[in-house]
Amino acid sequence: EDADTQFREFVVNTYVTLLEKTTIPDLLVQVTAWILGEYASLCSLDGYAVDDIIDLLADALDRPFEMQSTKGYLLTAIMKLTAQQYDALSTNPQVKDTMTKFRNARSTDLQQRCYEFGALCQPPGGAPLMQEILPYDAFSEEVDTDSSLSFLDGYVQSALAKG
């Protein structure tokens, strides 16, 4: 467990430093955004708190990318970090400015992410709802699946009966 945490901290520190560069391939930015969205709180670099990392992610949104989906990764990382530290970050002007700016983006995907974020921040949602939808370290959570798809049995039987 301790080795896992140390490795995650190393990766976060590496990606924070990498994100400062202005020219990075889209896929690397996507991986960076995902990692920072999950684990930015592990950053141990001097001068980098979570709100500083949000600023880095928001600044990266102004860069040109080959794939429009890259900006979606960056927005989602900002949303996840805000959910993780909702009380401290929900009033962050950078978060509000970024979400407001991309509500009017040409990309409907980016618009939708921003409108959904805004809706999640409204009462009665707020921190509990955002933390449920965008949990910390969700990557390691077990997901229950019904591999037999038994919940469809009634539908299948009805369709078979109708021919």
Side-chain angles (χ1 to χ4, degrees):
E1 183 68 28
D2 190 43
D4 258 2
T5 302
Q6 288 176 350
F7 178 69
R8 288 176 182 169
E9 180 182 330
F10 168 77
V11 171
V12 166
N13 291 342
T14 301
Y15 282 138
V16 165
T17 303
L18 184 65
L19 195 57
E20 291 179 334
K21 297 181 179 181
T22 56
T23 307
I24 310 170
D26 282 35
L27 291 176
L28 191 52
V29 172
Q30 291 174 8
V31 170
T32 299
W34 188 87
I35 294 292
L36 294 179
E38 288 289 325
Y39 303 111
S41 62
L42 298 176
C43 185
S44 61
L45 296 174
D46 287 337
Y48 284 100
V50 172
D51 58 334
D52 299 310
I53 295 172
I54 286 177
D55 291 345
L56 271 177
L57 292 163
D59 291 344
L61 280 162
D62 292 329
R63 299 177 191 164
F65 294 106
E66 292 180 21
M67 295 182 280
Q68 187 64 36
S69 61
T70 303
K71 290 187 179 193
Y73 279 82
L74 292 164
L75 275 176
T76 299
I78 292 170
M79 292 166 59
K80 285 190 68 95
L81 292 174
T82 303
Q84 291 169 16
Q85 297 186 11
Y86 186 79
D87 293 335
L89 297 174
S90 61
T91 58
N92 181 323
Q94 181 74 299
V95 172
K96 288 185 177 205
D97 292 347
T98 299
M99 294 302 159
T100 300
K101 176 181 178 180
F102 285 95
R103 276 189 185 146
N104 300 317
R106 289 185 182 183
S107 166
T108 55
D109 175 52
L110 298 179
Q111 288 179 15
Q112 181 175 344
R113 289 172 197 256
C114 292
Y115 278 104
E116 287 173 355
F117 178 79
L120 289 172
C121 289
Q122 299 301 313
L129 180 60
M130 287 189 73
Q131 290 166 354
E132 178 70 26
I133 293 172
L134 302 165
Y136 175 75
D137 199 13
F139 180 71
S140 61
E141 287 184 11
E142 292 291 323
V143 177
D144 294 331
T145 59
D146 180 358
S147 59
S148 68
L149 302 177
S150 60
F151 62 91
L152 293 174
D153 288 348
Y155 176 78
V156 170
Q157 293 304 320
S158 174
L160 289 173
K162 292 179 184 176

mmCIF file of all heavy atoms in Angstrom, residues 7-8 11-12 14-16 18-19 24-40 57 65 67 69-74 76-77 80:
data_model
loop_
_atom_site.group_PDB
_atom_site.id
_atom_site.type_symbol
_atom_site.label_atom_id
_atom_site.label_comp_id
_atom_site.label_asym_id
_atom_site.label_seq_id
_atom_site.Cartn_x
_atom_site.Cartn_y
_atom_site.Cartn_z
ATOM 1 N N PHE A 7 4.387 5.534 -5.461
ATOM 2 C CA PHE A 7 4.405 5.514 -6.919
ATOM 3 C C PHE A 7 3.422 6.533 -7.491
ATOM 4 O O PHE A 7 3.748 7.276 -8.418
ATOM 5 C CB PHE A 7 4.086 4.113 -7.451
ATOM 6 C CG PHE A 7 4.056 4.051 -8.949
ATOM 7 C CD1 PHE A 7 5.225 4.194 -9.689
ATOM 8 C CD2 PHE A 7 2.861 3.878 -9.629
ATOM 9 C CE1 PHE A 7 5.211 4.157 -11.073
ATOM 10 C CE2 PHE A 7 2.825 3.834 -11.007
ATOM 11 C CZ PHE A 7 4.001 3.968 -11.737
ATOM 12 N N ARG A 8 2.229 6.589 -6.924
ATOM 13 C CA ARG A 8 1.226 7.565 -7.388
ATOM 14 C C ARG A 8 1.739 8.991 -7.197
ATOM 15 O O ARG A 8 1.543 9.844 -8.056
ATOM 16 C CB ARG A 8 -0.088 7.350 -6.657
ATOM 17 C CG ARG A 8 -0.799 6.100 -7.095
ATOM 18 C CD ARG A 8 -2.048 5.850 -6.290
ATOM 19 N NE ARG A 8 -2.663 4.610 -6.720
ATOM 20 C CZ ARG A 8 -3.646 4.015 -6.080
ATOM 21 N NH1 ARG A 8 -4.142 4.549 -4.978
ATOM 22 N NH2 ARG A 8 -4.149 2.892 -6.525
ATOM 23 N N VAL A 11 4.237 9.733 -9.906
ATOM 24 C CA VAL A 11 3.569 9.931 -11.199
ATOM 25 C C VAL A 11 2.886 11.298 -11.240
ATOM 26 O O VAL A 11 2.991 12.033 -12.227
ATOM 27 C CB VAL A 11 2.572 8.787 -11.483
ATOM 28 C CG1 VAL A 11 1.713 9.093 -12.696
ATOM 29 C CG2 VAL A 11 3.318 7.474 -11.670
ATOM 30 N N VAL A 12 2.194 11.663 -10.165
ATOM 31 C CA VAL A 12 1.527 12.970 -10.111
ATOM 32 C C VAL A 12 2.553 14.089 -10.259
ATOM 33 O O VAL A 12 2.362 15.018 -11.047
ATOM 34 C CB VAL A 12 0.719 13.123 -8.802
ATOM 35 C CG1 VAL A 12 0.317 14.574 -8.561
ATOM 36 C CG2 VAL A 12 -0.508 12.232 -8.836
ATOM 37 N N THR A 14 5.449 13.981 -11.646
ATOM 38 C CA THR A 14 5.976 13.955 -13.012
ATOM 39 C C THR A 14 5.006 14.612 -13.982
ATOM 40 O O THR A 14 5.399 15.431 -14.821
ATOM 41 C CB THR A 14 6.261 12.492 -13.444
ATOM 42 O OG1 THR A 14 7.205 11.929 -12.538
ATOM 43 C CG2 THR A 14 6.804 12.430 -14.854
ATOM 44 N N TYR A 15 3.726 14.281 -13.864
ATOM 45 C CA TYR A 15 2.732 14.822 -14.797
ATOM 46 C C TYR A 15 2.446 16.303 -14.550
ATOM 47 O O TYR A 15 2.138 17.030 -15.492
ATOM 48 C CB TYR A 15 1.452 13.996 -14.763
ATOM 49 C CG TYR A 15 1.571 12.693 -15.533
ATOM 50 C CD1 TYR A 15 1.045 11.523 -15.039
ATOM 51 C CD2 TYR A 15 2.219 12.640 -16.762
ATOM 52 C CE1 TYR A 15 1.163 10.333 -15.735
ATOM 53 C CE2 TYR A 15 2.341 11.460 -17.468
ATOM 54 C CZ TYR A 15 1.806 10.315 -16.954
ATOM 55 O OH TYR A 15 1.915 9.141 -17.648
ATOM 56 N N VAL A 16 2.531 16.749 -13.313
ATOM 57 C CA VAL A 16 2.371 18.187 -13.049
ATOM 58 C C VAL A 16 3.482 18.949 -13.759
ATOM 59 O O VAL A 16 3.238 19.959 -14.431
ATOM 60 C CB VAL A 16 2.373 18.484 -11.531
ATOM 61 C CG1 VAL A 16 2.583 19.966 -11.263
ATOM 62 C CG2 VAL A 16 1.077 18.013 -10.899
ATOM 63 N N LEU A 18 5.200 17.940 -16.319
ATOM 64 C CA LEU A 18 4.986 17.771 -17.758
ATOM 65 C C LEU A 18 3.916 18.719 -18.288
ATOM 66 O O LEU A 18 4.047 19.273 -19.379
ATOM 67 C CB LEU A 18 4.594 16.322 -18.050
ATOM 68 C CG LEU A 18 4.422 15.934 -19.505
ATOM 69 C CD1 LEU A 18 5.758 16.039 -20.236
ATOM 70 C CD2 LEU A 18 3.876 14.526 -19.602
ATOM 71 N N LEU A 19 2.865 18.929 -17.508
ATOM 72 C CA LEU A 19 1.756 19.784 -17.951
ATOM 73 C C LEU A 19 2.180 21.241 -18.103
ATOM 74 O O LEU A 19 1.526 22.008 -18.812
ATOM 75 C CB LEU A 19 0.576 19.657 -16.983
ATOM 76 C CG LEU A 19 -0.774 20.184 -17.463
ATOM 77 C CD1 LEU A 19 -1.203 19.509 -18.761
ATOM 78 C CD2 LEU A 19 -1.822 19.995 -16.397
ATOM 79 N N ILE A 24 2.571 19.188 -25.876
ATOM 80 C CA ILE A 24 2.502 17.796 -25.441
ATOM 81 C C ILE A 24 1.494 17.099 -26.352
ATOM 82 O O ILE A 24 0.441 17.672 -26.654
ATOM 83 C CB ILE A 24 2.008 17.682 -23.981
ATOM 84 C CG1 ILE A 24 2.780 18.603 -23.055
ATOM 85 C CG2 ILE A 24 2.080 16.261 -23.495
ATOM 86 C CD1 ILE A 24 2.167 18.694 -21.665
ATOM 87 N N PRO A 25 1.766 15.876 -26.783
ATOM 88 C CA PRO A 25 0.795 15.150 -27.609
ATOM 89 C C PRO A 25 -0.540 14.967 -26.886
ATOM 90 O O PRO A 25 -0.582 14.814 -25.651
ATOM 91 C CB PRO A 25 1.465 13.792 -27.854
ATOM 92 C CG PRO A 25 2.906 14.010 -27.565
ATOM 93 C CD PRO A 25 2.992 15.115 -26.567
ATOM 94 N N ASP A 26 -1.615 14.957 -27.644
ATOM 95 C CA ASP A 26 -2.956 14.847 -27.069
ATOM 96 C C ASP A 26 -3.118 13.648 -26.131
ATOM 97 O O ASP A 26 -3.674 13.784 -25.044
ATOM 98 C CB ASP A 26 -4.005 14.746 -28.180
ATOM 99 C CG ASP A 26 -4.305 16.086 -28.821
ATOM 100 O OD1 ASP A 26 -3.382 16.904 -28.943
ATOM 101 O OD2 ASP A 26 -5.463 16.309 -29.202
ATOM 102 N N LEU A 27 -2.664 12.495 -26.563
ATOM 103 C CA LEU A 27 -2.845 11.301 -25.727
ATOM 104 C C LEU A 27 -2.139 11.429 -24.386
ATOM 105 O O LEU A 27 -2.653 10.987 -23.363
ATOM 106 C CB LEU A 27 -2.370 10.048 -26.464
ATOM 107 C CG LEU A 27 -3.237 9.638 -27.658
ATOM 108 C CD1 LEU A 27 -2.626 8.449 -28.373
ATOM 109 C CD2 LEU A 27 -4.660 9.331 -27.221
ATOM 110 N N LEU A 28 -0.989 12.064 -24.382
ATOM 111 C CA LEU A 28 -0.276 12.268 -23.126
ATOM 112 C C LEU A 28 -1.017 13.273 -22.239
ATOM 113 O O LEU A 28 -1.072 13.115 -21.017
ATOM 114 C CB LEU A 28 1.161 12.729 -23.394
ATOM 115 C CG LEU A 28 2.109 12.742 -22.206
ATOM 116 C CD1 LEU A 28 2.127 11.404 -21.472
ATOM 117 C CD2 LEU A 28 3.514 13.100 -22.660
ATOM 118 N N VAL A 29 -1.614 14.286 -22.842
ATOM 119 C CA VAL A 29 -2.422 15.240 -22.069
ATOM 120 C C VAL A 29 -3.635 14.526 -21.475
ATOM 121 O O VAL A 29 -4.003 14.759 -20.327
ATOM 122 C CB VAL A 29 -2.856 16.444 -22.937
ATOM 123 C CG1 VAL A 29 -3.848 17.330 -22.189
ATOM 124 C CG2 VAL A 29 -1.649 17.255 -23.375
ATOM 125 N N GLN A 30 -4.240 13.626 -22.243
ATOM 126 C CA GLN A 30 -5.395 12.885 -21.740
ATOM 127 C C GLN A 30 -5.018 12.019 -20.542
ATOM 128 O O GLN A 30 -5.726 12.004 -19.527
ATOM 129 C CB GLN A 30 -5.996 12.029 -22.857
ATOM 130 C CG GLN A 30 -6.661 12.844 -23.937
ATOM 131 C CD GLN A 30 -7.125 11.995 -25.110
ATOM 132 O OE1 GLN A 30 -7.089 10.770 -25.068
ATOM 133 N NE2 GLN A 30 -7.564 12.654 -26.173
ATOM 134 N N VAL A 31 -3.904 11.315 -20.643
ATOM 135 C CA VAL A 31 -3.438 10.491 -19.521
ATOM 136 C C VAL A 31 -3.109 11.373 -18.320
ATOM 137 O O VAL A 31 -3.479 11.069 -17.179
ATOM 138 C CB VAL A 31 -2.208 9.647 -19.932
ATOM 139 C CG1 VAL A 31 -1.565 8.979 -18.725
ATOM 140 C CG2 VAL A 31 -2.601 8.609 -20.968
ATOM 141 N N THR A 32 -2.444 12.483 -18.583
ATOM 142 C CA THR A 32 -2.086 13.423 -17.518
ATOM 143 C C THR A 32 -3.339 13.936 -16.811
ATOM 144 O O THR A 32 -3.394 13.973 -15.577
ATOM 145 C CB THR A 32 -1.267 14.599 -18.094
ATOM 146 O OG1 THR A 32 -0.065 14.076 -18.661
ATOM 147 C CG2 THR A 32 -0.933 15.621 -17.041
ATOM 148 N N ALA A 33 -4.335 14.327 -17.583
ATOM 149 C CA ALA A 33 -5.577 14.837 -17.003
ATOM 150 C C ALA A 33 -6.257 13.769 -16.154
ATOM 151 O O ALA A 33 -6.739 14.053 -15.047
ATOM 152 C CB ALA A 33 -6.514 15.330 -18.098
ATOM 153 N N TRP A 34 -6.271 12.544 -16.642
ATOM 154 C CA TRP A 34 -6.913 11.470 -15.882
ATOM 155 C C TRP A 34 -6.183 11.238 -14.558
ATOM 156 O O TRP A 34 -6.810 11.155 -13.506
ATOM 157 C CB TRP A 34 -6.968 10.181 -16.708
ATOM 158 C CG TRP A 34 -7.782 9.136 -16.031
ATOM 159 C CD1 TRP A 34 -9.130 8.956 -16.127
ATOM 160 C CD2 TRP A 34 -7.310 8.155 -15.097
ATOM 161 N NE1 TRP A 34 -9.517 7.907 -15.321
ATOM 162 C CE2 TRP A 34 -8.417 7.396 -14.670
ATOM 163 C CE3 TRP A 34 -6.061 7.841 -14.588
ATOM 164 C CZ2 TRP A 34 -8.317 6.355 -13.764
ATOM 165 C CZ3 TRP A 34 -5.958 6.794 -13.677
ATOM 166 C CH2 TRP A 34 -7.080 6.068 -13.277
ATOM 167 N N ILE A 35 -4.863 11.142 -14.628
ATOM 168 C CA ILE A 35 -4.063 10.907 -13.412
ATOM 169 C C ILE A 35 -4.251 12.049 -12.413
ATOM 170 O O ILE A 35 -4.474 11.825 -11.219
ATOM 171 C CB ILE A 35 -2.558 10.761 -13.760
ATOM 172 C CG1 ILE A 35 -2.304 9.504 -14.587
ATOM 173 C CG2 ILE A 35 -1.688 10.790 -12.509
ATOM 174 C CD1 ILE A 35 -2.521 8.198 -13.865
ATOM 175 N N LEU A 36 -4.167 13.281 -12.895
ATOM 176 C CA LEU A 36 -4.295 14.418 -11.986
ATOM 177 C C LEU A 36 -5.712 14.529 -11.436
ATOM 178 O O LEU A 36 -5.910 14.919 -10.280
ATOM 179 C CB LEU A 36 -3.871 15.713 -12.682
ATOM 180 C CG LEU A 36 -2.384 15.782 -13.060
ATOM 181 C CD1 LEU A 36 -2.077 17.096 -13.762
ATOM 182 C CD2 LEU A 36 -1.487 15.581 -11.860
ATOM 183 N N GLY A 37 -6.706 14.194 -12.239
ATOM 184 C CA GLY A 37 -8.083 14.209 -11.753
ATOM 185 C C GLY A 37 -8.312 13.209 -10.636
ATOM 186 O O GLY A 37 -9.116 13.439 -9.731
ATOM 187 N N GLU A 38 -7.593 12.105 -10.675
ATOM 188 C CA GLU A 38 -7.726 11.086 -9.629
ATOM 189 C C GLU A 38 -6.860 11.385 -8.410
ATOM 190 O O GLU A 38 -7.277 11.176 -7.281
ATOM 191 C CB GLU A 38 -7.329 9.708 -10.179
ATOM 192 C CG GLU A 38 -8.320 9.114 -11.150
ATOM 193 C CD GLU A 38 -9.625 8.663 -10.499
ATOM 194 O OE1 GLU A 38 -9.599 8.192 -9.351
ATOM 195 O OE2 GLU A 38 -10.670 8.808 -11.157
ATOM 196 N N TYR A 39 -5.623 11.840 -8.641
ATOM 197 C CA TYR A 39 -4.628 11.829 -7.563
ATOM 198 C C TYR A 39 -3.879 13.141 -7.325
ATOM 199 O O TYR A 39 -2.839 13.133 -6.674
ATOM 200 C CB TYR A 39 -3.592 10.725 -7.849
ATOM 201 C CG TYR A 39 -4.201 9.364 -8.009
ATOM 202 C CD1 TYR A 39 -4.217 8.732 -9.245
ATOM 203 C CD2 TYR A 39 -4.773 8.711 -6.931
ATOM 204 C CE1 TYR A 39 -4.781 7.467 -9.402
ATOM 205 C CE2 TYR A 39 -5.346 7.455 -7.069
ATOM 206 C CZ TYR A 39 -5.343 6.840 -8.311
ATOM 207 O OH TYR A 39 -5.907 5.605 -8.455
ATOM 208 N N ALA A 40 -4.355 14.241 -7.808
ATOM 209 C CA ALA A 40 -3.618 15.503 -7.659
ATOM 210 C C ALA A 40 -3.318 15.847 -6.211
ATOM 211 O O ALA A 40 -2.310 16.490 -5.913
ATOM 212 C CB ALA A 40 -4.372 16.654 -8.315
ATOM 213 N N LEU A 57 -4.455 22.886 -15.278
ATOM 214 C CA LEU A 57 -5.409 22.205 -16.155
ATOM 215 C C LEU A 57 -6.247 23.210 -16.940
ATOM 216 O O LEU A 57 -6.480 23.037 -18.143
ATOM 217 C CB LEU A 57 -6.317 21.286 -15.332
ATOM 218 C CG LEU A 57 -5.645 20.075 -14.698
ATOM 219 C CD1 LEU A 57 -6.521 19.480 -13.587
ATOM 220 C CD2 LEU A 57 -5.312 19.028 -15.745
ATOM 221 N N PHE A 65 -5.474 21.588 -29.615
ATOM 222 C CA PHE A 65 -5.315 20.133 -29.600
ATOM 223 C C PHE A 65 -5.837 19.555 -30.905
ATOM 224 O O PHE A 65 -6.737 20.116 -31.527
ATOM 225 C CB PHE A 65 -6.076 19.510 -28.420
ATOM 226 C CG PHE A 65 -5.527 19.882 -27.084
ATOM 227 C CD1 PHE A 65 -6.185 20.788 -26.267
ATOM 228 C CD2 PHE A 65 -4.344 19.323 -26.620
ATOM 229 C CE1 PHE A 65 -5.677 21.138 -25.025
ATOM 230 C CE2 PHE A 65 -3.825 19.664 -25.385
ATOM 231 C CZ PHE A 65 -4.490 20.574 -24.588
ATOM 232 N N MET A 67 -7.294 16.567 -31.062
ATOM 233 C CA MET A 67 -8.542 15.890 -30.736
ATOM 234 C C MET A 67 -9.347 16.741 -29.762
ATOM 235 O O MET A 67 -8.837 17.137 -28.709
ATOM 236 C CB MET A 67 -8.254 14.526 -30.102
ATOM 237 C CG MET A 67 -7.581 13.544 -31.040
ATOM 238 S SD MET A 67 -7.308 11.938 -30.262
ATOM 239 C CE MET A 67 -5.840 12.275 -29.291
ATOM 240 N N SER A 69 -11.641 15.784 -27.886
ATOM 241 C CA SER A 69 -11.888 15.034 -26.650
ATOM 242 C C SER A 69 -10.854 15.347 -25.573
ATOM 243 O O SER A 69 -11.128 15.168 -24.383
ATOM 244 C CB SER A 69 -11.916 13.535 -26.935
ATOM 245 O OG SER A 69 -10.674 13.103 -27.458
ATOM 246 N N THR A 70 -9.687 15.826 -25.966
ATOM 247 C CA THR A 70 -8.646 16.157 -24.984
ATOM 248 C C THR A 70 -9.142 17.220 -24.020
ATOM 249 O O THR A 70 -8.890 17.144 -22.808
ATOM 250 C CB THR A 70 -7.360 16.600 -25.704
ATOM 251 O OG1 THR A 70 -6.948 15.551 -26.578
ATOM 252 C CG2 THR A 70 -6.251 16.915 -24.736
ATOM 253 N N LYS A 71 -9.856 18.196 -24.524
ATOM 254 C CA LYS A 71 -10.385 19.240 -23.632
ATOM 255 C C LYS A 71 -11.425 18.661 -22.675
ATOM 256 O O LYS A 71 -11.548 19.117 -21.538
ATOM 257 C CB LYS A 71 -10.968 20.390 -24.452
ATOM 258 C CG LYS A 71 -9.890 21.175 -25.167
ATOM 259 C CD LYS A 71 -10.418 22.419 -25.841
ATOM 260 C CE LYS A 71 -9.259 23.152 -26.504
ATOM 261 N NZ LYS A 71 -9.595 24.494 -26.908
ATOM 262 N N GLY A 72 -12.148 17.652 -23.110
ATOM 263 C CA GLY A 72 -13.097 16.984 -22.230
ATOM 264 C C GLY A 72 -12.399 16.312 -21.059
ATOM 265 O O GLY A 72 -12.881 16.353 -19.924
ATOM 266 N N TYR A 73 -11.245 15.700 -21.322
ATOM 267 C CA TYR A 73 -10.460 15.097 -20.242
ATOM 268 C C TYR A 73 -10.022 16.160 -19.237
ATOM 269 O O TYR A 73 -10.063 15.940 -18.026
ATOM 270 C CB TYR A 73 -9.215 14.399 -20.795
ATOM 271 C CG TYR A 73 -9.454 13.017 -21.348
ATOM 272 C CD1 TYR A 73 -9.934 12.826 -22.640
ATOM 273 C CD2 TYR A 73 -9.177 11.888 -20.591
ATOM 274 C CE1 TYR A 73 -10.139 11.559 -23.156
ATOM 275 C CE2 TYR A 73 -9.367 10.618 -21.097
ATOM 276 C CZ TYR A 73 -9.854 10.455 -22.382
ATOM 277 O OH TYR A 73 -10.053 9.205 -22.878
ATOM 278 N N LEU A 74 -9.585 17.301 -19.740
ATOM 279 C CA LEU A 74 -9.125 18.377 -18.862
ATOM 280 C C LEU A 74 -10.276 18.921 -18.009
ATOM 281 O O LEU A 74 -10.117 19.139 -16.804
ATOM 282 C CB LEU A 74 -8.476 19.495 -19.687
ATOM 283 C CG LEU A 74 -7.150 19.118 -20.355
ATOM 284 C CD1 LEU A 74 -6.790 20.119 -21.447
ATOM 285 C CD2 LEU A 74 -6.035 19.017 -19.326
ATOM 286 N N THR A 76 -13.022 17.343 -17.170
ATOM 287 C CA THR A 76 -13.418 16.315 -16.206
ATOM 288 C C THR A 76 -12.444 16.271 -15.034
ATOM 289 O O THR A 76 -12.860 16.096 -13.879
ATOM 290 C CB THR A 76 -13.519 14.945 -16.891
ATOM 291 O OG1 THR A 76 -14.520 15.032 -17.915
ATOM 292 C CG2 THR A 76 -13.904 13.857 -15.908
ATOM 293 N N ALA A 77 -11.165 16.444 -15.298
ATOM 294 C CA ALA A 77 -10.176 16.469 -14.209
ATOM 295 C C ALA A 77 -10.471 17.627 -13.254
ATOM 296 O O ALA A 77 -10.416 17.457 -12.033
ATOM 297 C CB ALA A 77 -8.764 16.582 -14.776
ATOM 298 N N LYS A 80 -13.485 16.648 -11.169
ATOM 299 C CA LYS A 80 -13.169 15.652 -10.149
ATOM 300 C C LYS A 80 -12.427 16.278 -8.973
ATOM 301 O O LYS A 80 -12.713 15.979 -7.815
ATOM 302 C CB LYS A 80 -12.345 14.516 -10.748
ATOM 303 C CG LYS A 80 -13.167 13.567 -11.615
ATOM 304 C CD LYS A 80 -12.397 12.351 -11.987
ATOM 305 C CE LYS A 80 -12.109 11.478 -10.827
ATOM 306 N NZ LYS A 80 -12.986 10.380 -10.552
#
